Amino acid sequence: MALFSQTSQQGFQALLWKCHMFWPFLRCRQLFAVSLGIPNREKINSFSFMTSSSTALPVDPKETDVLPTEKKSKIDCKEGEGWDGETKEIPEGKFHFSSSVGAAKKWSMSHVLSRHKFSNVQPPEKPLQAEEWNKLRENFQSPEIFEEVMLNSMIRCNSPIDVAKSLLTHLAKRNGDIAYSVLVKYLTLCVHQGQVSEIRDVYDIMKARFKILESGAYSLLIRGLSNSNQWRMALTVLEEVKKIMIPSRMCYESCIKAASHHQEMELAFELYNEMLAKGVIPTLDVLQSFFDFSRGMKGAELQKELFGILLYLRENQIYPHKTFMRSIKLWFESLPGGNWRGHLTNVKDSGQCPVCKHQLEESNLTEEEYNHLSERILKDVIHGTDTFRKTSPKELEAFQTFVENRLPFDIVIDGLNVSHIKSRRMQCENLLDAVNCLAKENARLLVLGRKHMLMNSSNWKREIVKEMQNKADFFFAENISEDDAFLLYATLRSGKHCRFVTRDFLRDHKACLSDSLTRHLFRKWQRGHQIVFFPSADGRSIKFLVSFPTAVRKHTEHIH
């Protein structure tokens, strides 16, 4: 290891050993939408996927290198500059841990400081001696958290690792101990800089001191090791994590990317299927990496696994962004002897691709399918153990009576959802705009509201609410109630023509459905009946996009 300071001639572990901190131990060497038309796993002739700003959840479109070969250049330390989303700095505070061998206790903060309170602290540019660190600490306004604040600053500024080492050396000599939180911050800096030997040393120290670590430390260790030529050690750590907890998404995805990068796709898919089985949801980034690293590779089993990812996207209504779409396109085109070609085109309202003339799946249900879906929604979502619904049996019964006495409706509106579309306007004005727009064709409207809307307030003016009640039926639920189940009930009971308005994708409710066929029917029905809305470019009005009768809305990347 590199030395801790200019004068120290002993390694990190040796120093801590002299401080009587550890028992003997041995070294252990992751805004676009996509719809995929997939008939079945065995025979696949064409794929279509589309982008649509009207339905997609926001996704970072930037492509990132999974395992960069070059170290990141040193960055300037700027006031207020934060850490990235996966390894963000730990808030300043004092965390207490037992130094004895045993489970690493859950972090408890004796006090939590403002995130930016010490954002202007500048770390030294070179390692300091003990007396120099003492002087800095004495002049710091909160000496008891000096080390943690300083390490956060080093993380933010990407300080040289020797500077951090000199601080830990000073801390160990002064206290004979180093707090768990300080070790984790040092580990964060090591991971950011790809200091593999340092990561391994911190891992050895933590293993000797604690029987188990918390999830964040394991994630850092696995991330740091997987981005190195010692990536298999990350798999060893992952196995340790499995013995005590379900590994985090970052743990799984770091190992998956490492295996994929080294062309061990069988191992990568084994980890992927394992994380799915454990209920850990993969990011689009790791799903994209499968297609990136599999480009040009042969093998029926590999193709089957990748088709499985496409089916996973479809069945879970997950919408890839453009760079992911491009990866899928390039993978298809790279298949040996496949002769696949991808084209960016505009699919018309008819649902027919102008390139290959393929007719995309319609979203209309047959009478039999519609009746089946209605029955299952009523049983599994409305009256079932839907933990996402918060209402009382009395309120549900009152709502059902209300709806049955006023059927049918043409459009059912999630009033609370719509009222938040533009934050700078009164919520009642947002809802009024929506009601006025949707009522133009003399449509019968049902607005699902909350009782607080009836109280005259800054956001809900009584005269505006009364104006809306003259144009639509309103049902006001309790403020704590979850109205998605009400939305589904009223829409389905009104008939096949009825549509609903909400920005919610209703994935939680779809998950409550008891079988895959019903979930497929729900997704198909939702695609053709949900009205999407968004603010106009000038922010003065609300625009509505009525669903097309096919699986596609706008730009489609079609592969055939």
Side-chain angles (χ1 to χ4, degrees):
M1 285 185 61
L3 300 180
F4 264 85
S5 67
Q6 294 172 322
T7 59
S8 174
Q9 298 296 319
Q10 52 191 341
F12 192 19
Q13 294 180 11
L15 171 71
L16 297 177
W17 179 270
K18 289 187 175 182
C19 293
H20 307 291
M21 292 174 61
F22 306 104
W23 277 259
F25 58 91
L26 297 175
R27 191 185 236 298
C28 297
R29 297 290 200 236
Q30 187 189 117
L31 301 177
F32 300 99
V34 173
S35 173
L36 298 165
I38 305 177
N40 55 59
R41 289 179 182 266
E42 287 72 31
K43 187 176 181 181
I44 303 180
N45 296 319
S46 68
F47 282 82
S48 62
F49 43 98
M50 64 87 182
T51 67
S52 169
S53 60
S54 63
T55 58
L57 294 176
V59 180
D60 183 3
K62 293 183 295 184
E63 292 185 77
T64 57
D65 294 327
V66 178
L67 293 168
T69 55
E70 297 181 1
K71 291 185 179 180
K72 295 180 181 179
S73 60
K74 183 178 180 181
I75 60 174
D76 293 330
C77 178
K78 300 178 181 179
E79 183 174 346
E81 180 173 299
W83 194 241
D84 65 68
E86 289 185 327
T87 55
K88 62 181 64 175
E89 63 185 77
I90 303 165
E92 291 88 348
K94 198 163 186 176
F95 300 85
H96 297 286
F97 280 86
S98 169
S99 296
S100 61
V101 171
K105 306 299 190 299
K106 185 179 180 181
W107 295 17
S108 61
M109 302 171 83
S110 60
H111 54 276
V112 179
L113 303 177
S114 171
R115 178 171 180 162
H116 300 293
K117 185 173 182 179
F118 298 108
S119 61
N120 60 345
V121 173
Q122 299 295 313
E125 297 180 356
K126 61 182 181 179
L128 301 183
Q129 300 297 326
E131 56 272 15
E132 295 174 301
W133 283 119
N134 280 330
K135 185 175 180 180
L136 284 177
R137 189 175 190 272
E138 290 170 1
N139 294 331
F140 191 66
Q141 70 177 94
S142 300
E144 69 279 3
I145 58 169
F146 169 76
E147 289 80 12
E148 294 183 32
V149 172
M150 185 57 66
L151 279 167
N152 274 345
S153 180
M154 293 180 187
I155 292 170
R156 187 170 60 252
C157 299
N158 197 25
S159 297
I161 201 70
D162 285 345
V163 177
K165 283 183 184 180
S166 72
L167 175 59
L168 265 66
T169 300
H170 163 65
L171 187 61
K173 288 181 176 179
R174 189 191 72 207
N175 298 341
D177 194 3
I178 297 179
Y180 185 92
S181 59
V182 172
L183 286 173
V184 172
K185 290 177 190 294
Y186 179 70
L187 176 61
T188 302
L189 184 63
C190 294
V191 170
H192 181 52
Q193 297 185 4
Q195 300 279 353
V196 181
S197 64
E198 300 298 325
I199 293 171
R200 293 180 61 181
D201 279 339
V202 174
Y203 176 44
D204 287 341
I205 291 167
M206 286 182 157
K207 277 201 309 180
R209 187 174 179 186
F210 305 105
K211 186 176 181 181
I212 61 173
L213 310 180
E214 45 76 47
S215 177
Y218 280 126
S219 295
L220 279 170
L221 287 165
I222 290 175
R223 183 185 178 193
L225 293 168
S226 63
N227 287 337
S228 72
N229 58 2
Q230 301 182 38
W231 65 276
R232 288 191 180 278
M233 188 174 177
L235 301 176
T236 302
V237 179
L238 182 66
E239 290 303 315
E240 291 182 16
V241 178
K242 291 179 189 177
K243 296 175 183 178
I244 55 178
M245 67 179 78
I246 295 178
S248 70
R249 180 166 60 188
M250 187 191 296
C251 289
Y252 270 117
E253 294 195 348
S254 296
C255 292
I256 288 172
K257 288 181 181 180
S260 300
H261 177 76
H262 290 86
Q263 300 293 292
E264 297 205 18
M265 301 309 297
E266 184 177 346
L267 173 59
F269 274 107
E270 180 183 331
L271 292 170
Y272 165 71
N273 290 318
E274 181 181 294
M275 72 183 292
L276 287 182
K278 292 181 181 293
V280 182
I281 307 301
T283 62
L284 292 184
D285 181 53
V286 78
L287 296 180
Q288 179 182 341
S289 72
F290 279 113
F291 291 91
D292 289 336
F293 288 117
S294 300
R295 200 173 299 164
M297 296 178 66
K298 299 180 180 179
E301 190 63 31
L302 175 61
Q303 290 188 21
K304 182 180 177 181
E305 292 284 6
L306 289 166
F307 286 144
I309 291 179
L310 299 178
L311 287 166
Y312 170 82
L313 294 173
R314 180 186 181 185
E315 291 169 1
N316 290 278
Q317 205 170 352
I318 299 172
Y319 305 114
H321 47 74
K322 271 187 176 177
T323 53
F324 190 178
M325 289 174 58
R326 180 176 177 272
S327 294
I328 296 172
K329 171 183 178 293
L330 292 175
W331 175 74
F332 270 104
E333 293 177 342
S334 75
L335 290 176
N339 200 30
W340 295 88
R341 291 293 179 269
H343 301 272
L344 181 64
T345 185
N346 289 314
V347 176
K348 298 180 180 180
D349 293 4
S350 65
Q352 186 182 68
C353 173
V355 177
C356 68
K357 310 305 180 184
H358 180 76
Q359 187 69 37
L360 301 178
E361 178 188 29
E362 292 190 356
S363 58
N364 293 326
L365 302 183
T366 65
E367 198 69 34
E368 182 180 355
E369 290 174 332
Y370 186 82
N371 291 335
H372 173 82
L373 178 63
S374 297
E375 291 174 5
R376 298 312 307 178
I377 289 286
L378 187 65
K379 181 178 180 180
D380 294 342
V381 178
I382 309 300
H383 292 138
T385 57
D386 182 355
T387 57
F388 302 98
R389 173 174 56 81
K390 297 178 182 178
T391 188
S392 66
K394 182 178 179 181
E395 184 178 51
L396 179 58
E397 183 180 353
F399 174 72
Q400 289 176 308
T401 301
F402 176 91
V403 169
E404 298 299 328
N405 289 338
R406 291 166 176 79
L407 287 174
F409 299 102
D410 297 311
I411 301 174
V412 181
I413 304 170
D414 183 342
L416 191 63
N417 191 286
V418 172
S419 70
H420 287 88
I421 184 64
K422 292 180 290 183
S423 59
R424 295 185 179 181
R425 297 189 67 200
M426 287 192 296
Q427 293 171 18
C428 61
E429 291 179 335
N430 287 335
L431 186 54
L432 177 62
D433 285 348
V435 170
N436 285 338
C437 180
L438 296 171
K440 287 179 180 178
E441 304 296 328
N442 294 320
R444 290 206 61 213
L445 307 181
L446 169 61
V447 179
L448 302 176
R450 301 294 176 90
K451 289 188 175 179
H452 73 262
M453 298 178 182
L454 294 171
M455 301 175 63
N456 200 36
S457 65
S458 58
N459 265 314
W460 295 97
K461 299 301 181 184
R462 186 170 289 125
E463 60 274 15
I464 295 181
V465 174
K466 286 183 178 180
E467 180 183 348
M468 289 189 288
Q469 287 179 294
N470 292 329
K471 301 175 181 180
D473 286 300
F474 272 73
F475 182 84
F476 297 97
E478 295 292 339
N479 294 328
I480 64 171
S481 296
E482 175 62 64
D483 55 12
D484 289 345
F486 291 174
L487 184 79
L488 294 174
Y489 179 85
T491 305
L492 288 165
R493 285 291 295 135
S494 292
K496 293 171 66 175
H497 75 287
C498 186
R499 298 185 179 185
F500 63 94
V501 181
T502 183
R503 288 183 293 177
D504 194 330
F505 279 96
L506 306 176
R507 292 192 180 106
D508 293 335
H509 298 286
K510 183 187 72 175
C512 294
L513 297 171
S514 56
D515 59 272
S516 58
L517 172 62
T518 307
R519 289 192 291 271
H520 171 72
L521 293 177
F522 179 86
R523 182 176 60 253
K524 190 176 177 181
W525 169 80
Q526 179 185 9
R527 198 166 55 216
H529 291 79
Q530 183 167 359
I531 299 176
V532 179
F533 61 94
F534 50 92
S536 61
D538 58 11
R540 296 179 181 178
S541 60
I542 301 175
K543 290 186 176 293
F544 293 87
L545 181 63
V546 180
S547 304
F548 291 147
T550 60
V552 176
R553 284 186 167 87
K554 278 190 177 180
H555 300 299
T556 299
E557 189 80 53
H558 200 60
I559 297 175
H560 61 94

